[in-house]
């Protein structure tokens, strides 16, 4: 069973969000990293740009597939996790090892806090994952 | 594995195994009205001897550069091809292999691709090269996808001094993408109009596409163009001539973001138009946006060197519907030819070939200045090709040349009716002094 912390918000597209003030830290869930398997590269293409909720903000490349990363909330993409694509070692694998910690992907300065209520909580996301696993 | 066709016994065995009466019933699902009821309308079979005589007869209708002294270029050049190329590419490991899908068992092919990429990077002074594309035109067209993908912008500016055939291919690719392509005019001296570039470039420009030396043979003010492009946040894409890089600054040195080229001049025969070799290079930061595939060197768990296809993410394997390019083959045999050619020539050889092309072309240009009725169309510097205004339509000079055993140049009227009196002239290292003089004497017969 995948780990789904209670203090985070989730999207149907398997991003998680940690809200601190008006900053949303974003990553992909434990379930998502397991589905993707070995992650080799992450790119935040929208760094510095203002995006709307559900827009593509980057992509994540695993050995067997590439997936888009979607903005869970509208706002400005102010920071990308520079540690993930460091040249030395297998830095992108941090997303596999610690998806909710060291493996965070980027930060968005929230422009419309009302959108946070459209995100899933732990229970709703758990249900979504369970349904996905049955397929 | 046997390569003999199946015998009647094999067929019977297979049909029995799958429980089908005869071969025809395998096609039962095809509606009757769609089936061909009569045999194909073909002449009777030839013997091998008859077939080779007929093919030779047809081939002899071509007037190749073995029979005409060639002064025509425009993207395809009559260079000397050393015999070592045929000797190596004829090895069946190379000659019969298709695209190396089974990467791990094609170590020789993968090593060649790796060496090819390395040599190209060195010649172009660019950071990464892929394992080849179809030709320069399609490579240039792929840069349009890539530039849009990288910059998230839409507009493409393409210089009017780029080979018109390349521009057609770029336009064809762009149609499907709904990309607006704006052609930049050229000045009286046949180089890109910088003022027009300044007026046209804006914050939605994804890339500026230039050919250097350009289609008319002249050197473009690349440093000014690259600066203008970068100031506006657009990529600078350059189509170059690999041989010219023996004597002029390579694209990496003037900060090209992407540089492409036609590799035919690197040991590939003229072949009536193809197959040719598309060269594609970029700065390393754009590697994941590149089309095609990249081979890399690694070591296995016992420490032995091995070659792998490291990046092929733009194609069906990984990016699938997100792929910006669906190009999924490479010109492995042509890339092998270029690899052998570059290795055979070496750094000094490429310089020498470029110098000879340059000297011989300038010898012709200097003589033409003194033929009444002919005018050089530009005072700009050129490397191996230049454009001359002719006293009669260029078409007539080309036609008459063929009767005299000379391929006089490229009649630019083929591309644009305004260029009917424009002749594009080149001379490779193959041309002798006697041939150059004979050509100049031939042009004098058109003297006004």
């Amino acid at each position: 069973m995948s780990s789904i912390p209670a203090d985070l918000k989730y999207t149907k597209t398997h991003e998680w969000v940690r809200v601190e003030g008006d900053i949303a830290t974003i990553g992909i869930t434990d379930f998502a990293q397991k589905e993707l398997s070995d992650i080799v590269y992450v790119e935040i293409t929208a760094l510095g740009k203002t995006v709307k909720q559900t827009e593509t903000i980057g992509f994540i490349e695993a050995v067997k597939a590439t997936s888009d990363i979607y903005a869970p909330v509208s706002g400005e993409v102010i920071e990308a996790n520079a540690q993930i694509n460091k040249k030395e070692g297998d830095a992108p694998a941090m997303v596999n090892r610690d998806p909710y910690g060291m493996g965070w992907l980027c930060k968005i300065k929230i422009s419309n806090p009302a959108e946070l209520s459209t995100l899933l909580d732990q229970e709703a996301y758990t249900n979504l994952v369970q349904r996905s696993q049955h397929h | 594995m046997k390569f003999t066709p199946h015998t009647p016994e094999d067929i019977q065995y297979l049909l029995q195994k799958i429980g089908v009466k005869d071969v025809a019933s395998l096609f039962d699902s095809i509606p009757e009205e769609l089936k061909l009821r009569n045999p194909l309308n073909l002449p009777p079979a030839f013997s091998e001897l008859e077939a080779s005589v007929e093919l030779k007869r047809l081939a002899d209708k071509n007037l190749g550069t073995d029979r005409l002294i060639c002064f025509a270029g425009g993207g395809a050049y009559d260079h000397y091809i050393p015999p070592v190329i045929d000797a190596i590419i004829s090895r069946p490991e190379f000659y019969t292999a298709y695209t190396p899908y089974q990467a791990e068992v094609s170590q020789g092919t993968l090593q060649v691709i790796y060496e090819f990429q390395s040599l190209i990077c060195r010649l172009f002074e660019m950071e990464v090269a892929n394992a080849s594309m179809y030709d320069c035109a399609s490579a240039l067209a792929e840069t349009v996808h890539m530039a849009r993908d990288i910059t998230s912008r839409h507009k493409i500016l393409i210089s009017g001094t780029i080979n018109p055939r390349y521009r057609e291919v770029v336009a064809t690719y762009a149609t499907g993408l709904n990309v607006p392509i704006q052609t930049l005019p050229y000045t009286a001296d046949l180089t890109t109009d910088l003022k027009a570039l300044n007026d046209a470039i804006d914050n939605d420009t994804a890339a500026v596409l230039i050919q250097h030396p350009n289609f008319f043979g002249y050197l473009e003010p690349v440093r000014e163009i690259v600066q203008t492009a970068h100031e506006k946040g657009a990529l600078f894409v350059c189509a170059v001539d690999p041989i010219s890089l023996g004597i002029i600054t390579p694209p990496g040195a003037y900060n090209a973001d992407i540089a492409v080229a036609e590799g035919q001049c690197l040991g590939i025969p003229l072949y009536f138009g193809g197959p040719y070799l598309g060269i594609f290079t970029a700065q390393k930061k754009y590697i994941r946006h590149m089309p095609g595939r990249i081979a890399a060197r690694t070591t296995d768990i016992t420490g032995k060197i091995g070659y792998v296809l490291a990046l092929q993410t733009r194609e069906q394997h990984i990016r699938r519907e997100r792929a910006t390019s669906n190009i999924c083959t490479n010109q492995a045999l042509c890339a092998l030819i270029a690899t052998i050619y570059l290795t055979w020539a070496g750094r000094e050889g490429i310089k020498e070939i470029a110098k000879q092309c340059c000297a011989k072309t300038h010898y012709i240009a200097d003589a033409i200045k003194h033929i009444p009725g002919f005018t050089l169309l530009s005072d700009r510097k050129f490397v191996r090709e230049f454009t001359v205004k002719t006293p009669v339509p260029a078409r007539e000079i080309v036609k008459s040349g063929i009767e005299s055993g000379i391929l006089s140049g490229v009649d630019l009227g083929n591309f644009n009716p305004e260029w009917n009196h424009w002749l594009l002239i080149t001379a490779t290292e193959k041309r002798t002094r006697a041939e150059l003089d004979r050509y100049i004497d031939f042009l004098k017969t058109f003297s006004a």
Side-chain angles (χ1 to χ4, degrees):
Chain A
M1 187 59 212
S2 301
S3 140
I4 302 172
D7 60 330
L8 303 178
K9 296 271 193 182
Y10 300 91
T11 65
K12 287 177 187 162
T13 47
H14 306 287
E15 287 88 8
W16 57 259
V17 184
R18 178 179 290 122
V19 181
E20 287 155 307
D22 61 349
I23 304 295
T25 303
I26 291 148
I28 61 164
T29 65
D30 189 35
F31 172 76
Q33 70 79 15
K34 278 181 184 148
E35 290 285 299
L36 283 166
S37 80
D38 297 340
I39 289 162
V40 293
Y41 184 73
V42 177
E43 188 167 312
I44 302 300
T45 48
L47 186 60
K49 290 185 183 143
T50 301
V51 294
K52 290 202 174 72
Q53 190 178 32
T54 73
E55 270 182 3
T56 309
I57 51 174
F59 61 87
I60 191 158
E61 198 169 299
V63 175
K64 299 229 180 287
T66 301
S67 292
D68 284 333
I69 305 161
Y70 301 98
V73 288
S74 304
E76 187 189 349
V77 184
I78 54 169
E79 191 181 343
N81 184 352
Q83 296 299 314
I84 287 182
N85 286 318
K86 278 213 302 207
K87 280 199 177 118
E88 60 272 19
D90 52 348
M94 275 201 296
V95 182
N96 292 117
R97 282 200 304 270
D98 190 9
Y100 300 112
M102 301 276 280
W104 64 276
L105 304 180
C106 65
K107 294 186 181 185
I108 291 182
K109 191 167 194 294
I110 302 168
S111 63
N112 181 8
E115 283 170 357
L116 291 170
S117 63
T118 64
L119 299 174
L120 309 177
D121 61 11
Q122 181 192 31
E123 189 191 340
Y125 184 66
T126 306
N127 286 335
L128 179 81
V129 168
Q130 275 167 357
R131 282 203 305 279
S132 307
Q133 281 169 334
H134 291 154
H135 285 290
Chain B
M1 193 194 289
K2 285 194 299 181
F3 289 97
T4 45
H6 29 245
T7 63
E9 290 76 28
D10 293 337
I11 294 171
Q12 272 313 313
Y13 175 77
L14 289 168
L15 290 173
Q16 213 173 2
K17 203 77 182 167
I18 56 174
V20 177
K21 184 165 66 31
D22 52 19
V23 174
S25 46
L26 291 172
F27 299 98
D28 278 350
S29 57
I30 299 172
E32 277 306 312
E33 68 270 23
L34 296 178
K35 287 184 188 165
L36 185 69
R37 283 187 200 80
N38 306 312
L40 290 171
N41 182 20
L42 291 171
F46 277 6
S47 69
E48 187 174 299
L49 174 62
E50 287 167 322
S52 61
V53 168
E54 175 61 8
L55 290 173
K56 175 94 174 59
R57 188 187 68 78
L58 291 173
D60 284 347
K61 289 174 118 178
N62 288 330
L63 280 174
T65 50
D66 49 343
R67 285 153 72 187
L68 297 174
I69 308 167
C70 180
F71 295 93
Y77 302 94
D78 179 35
H79 286 287
Y80 174 66
I81 297 173
V84 63
I85 288 181
D86 260 352
I88 297 177
I89 67 165
S90 306
R91 292 182 61 101
E93 303 93 308
F94 290 130
Y95 205 71
T96 60
Y98 183 53
T99 316
Y101 281 114
Q102 278 77 39
E104 295 73 21
V105 298
S106 313
Q107 285 296 299
T109 302
L110 285 166
Q111 182 176 358
V112 163
I113 289 173
Y114 177 79
E115 304 291 353
F116 167 75
Q117 293 167 184
S118 307
L119 287 162
I120 293 298
C121 282
R122 198 170 290 184
L123 184 63
F124 284 58
E125 289 187 18
M126 294 291 284
E127 291 173 336
V128 285
N130 75 8
S132 81
M133 317 282 285
Y134 301 126
D135 50 27
C136 185
S138 57
L140 192 62
E142 288 283 349
T143 70
V144 171
H145 294 244
M146 194 170 146
R148 283 183 12 125
D149 197 29
I150 291 168
T151 61
S152 304
R153 295 171 172 203
H154 299 90
K155 205 168 86 179
I156 299 289
L157 298 178
I158 186 167
S159 172
T161 66
I162 290 183
N163 187 321
R165 295 285 182 256
Y166 299 176
R167 283 193 276 135
E168 280 175 41
V169 174
V170 171
T172 303
Y173 270 59
T175 308
L177 291 169
N178 288 323
V179 180
I181 301 261
Q182 189 178 338
T183 304
L184 298 171
Y186 50 84
T187 54
D189 65 2
L190 302 186
T191 55
T192 305
D193 186 333
L194 293 179
K195 194 182 167 300
L197 167 66
N198 268 308
D199 293 344
I201 197 164
D202 59 26
N203 291 332
D204 195 35
T205 306
V208 180
L209 274 52
I210 296 290
Q211 188 177 357
H212 178 70
N214 68 29
F215 177 62
F216 304 110
Y218 302 101
L219 296 186
E220 288 282 349
V222 276
R223 287 184 193 276
E224 281 100 321
I225 297 170
V226 79
Q227 195 185 341
T228 306
H230 285 169
E231 274 170 8
K232 283 281 179 189
L235 298 190
F236 175 76
V237 177
C238 200
V240 301
D241 166 20
I243 292 291
S244 77
L245 301 184
I247 50 175
I248 69 170
T249 309
Y254 47 84
N255 269 331
D257 296 286
I258 307 172
V260 298
E262 174 53 64
Q264 179 274 331
C265 55
L266 304 174
I268 298 169
L270 288 159
Y271 278 148
F272 209 66
Y276 281 178
L277 170 68
I279 294 172
F280 196 107
T281 68
Q283 290 186 16
K284 195 174 176 187
K285 60 184 168 187
Y286 303 132
I287 195 166
R288 279 169 196 274
H289 297 275
M290 279 172 78
R293 53 186 66 189
I294 291 179
R297 191 171 73 181
T298 185
T299 47
D300 68 11
I301 50 168
T302 65
K304 274 193 235 147
I305 287 174
Y307 296 88
V308 292
L309 280 182
L311 277 180
Q312 41 188 334
T313 57
R314 305 280 82 80
E315 347 174 353
Q316 62 270 56
H317 305 310
I318 294 178
R319 298 240 347 145
R320 298 182 188 157
E321 76 280 4
R322 265 177 221 92
T324 49
S325 165
N326 278 312
I327 202 161
C328 67
T329 188
N330 69 53
Q331 301 287 73
L333 194 67
C334 292
L336 171 62
I337 292 175
T339 308
I340 302 165
Y341 185 86
L342 287 169
T343 313
W344 166 82
R347 187 186 289 269
E348 293 307 313
I350 293 291
K351 257 190 223 170
E352 177 62 25
I353 294 161
K355 274 186 192 166
Q356 287 210 22
C357 294
C358 189
K360 289 173 180 182
T361 308
H362 279 84
Y363 180 81
I364 299 171
D366 289 342
I368 283 180
K369 278 183 202 159
H370 300 108
I371 307 178
F374 287 82
T375 343
L376 299 188
L377 274 163
S378 174
D379 292 329
R380 288 274 184 167
K381 283 188 181 160
F382 59 90
V383 177
R384 66 141 96 208
E385 214 158 5
F386 65 99
T387 306
V388 67
K389 190 165 186 209
T390 53
V392 297
R395 176 177 9 103
E396 289 175 28
I397 299 180
V398 173
K399 190 162 170 272
S400 163
I402 288 169
E403 286 155 17
S404 315
I406 292 172
L407 203 49
S408 321
V410 178
D411 161 21
L412 297 190
N414 286 324
F415 300 94
N416 183 339
E418 288 171 19
W419 302 343
N420 273 335
H421 281 71
W422 292 14
L423 187 64
L424 182 64
I425 297 170
T426 188
T428 64
E429 81 288 350
K430 271 176 83 175
R431 300 286 75 83
T432 61
R433 177 70 169 264
E435 286 171 345
L436 299 178
D437 288 336
R438 181 174 154 195
Y439 177 57
I440 291 160
D441 286 342
F442 161 75
L443 291 181
K444 280 181 184 160
T445 63
F446 297 93
S447 156

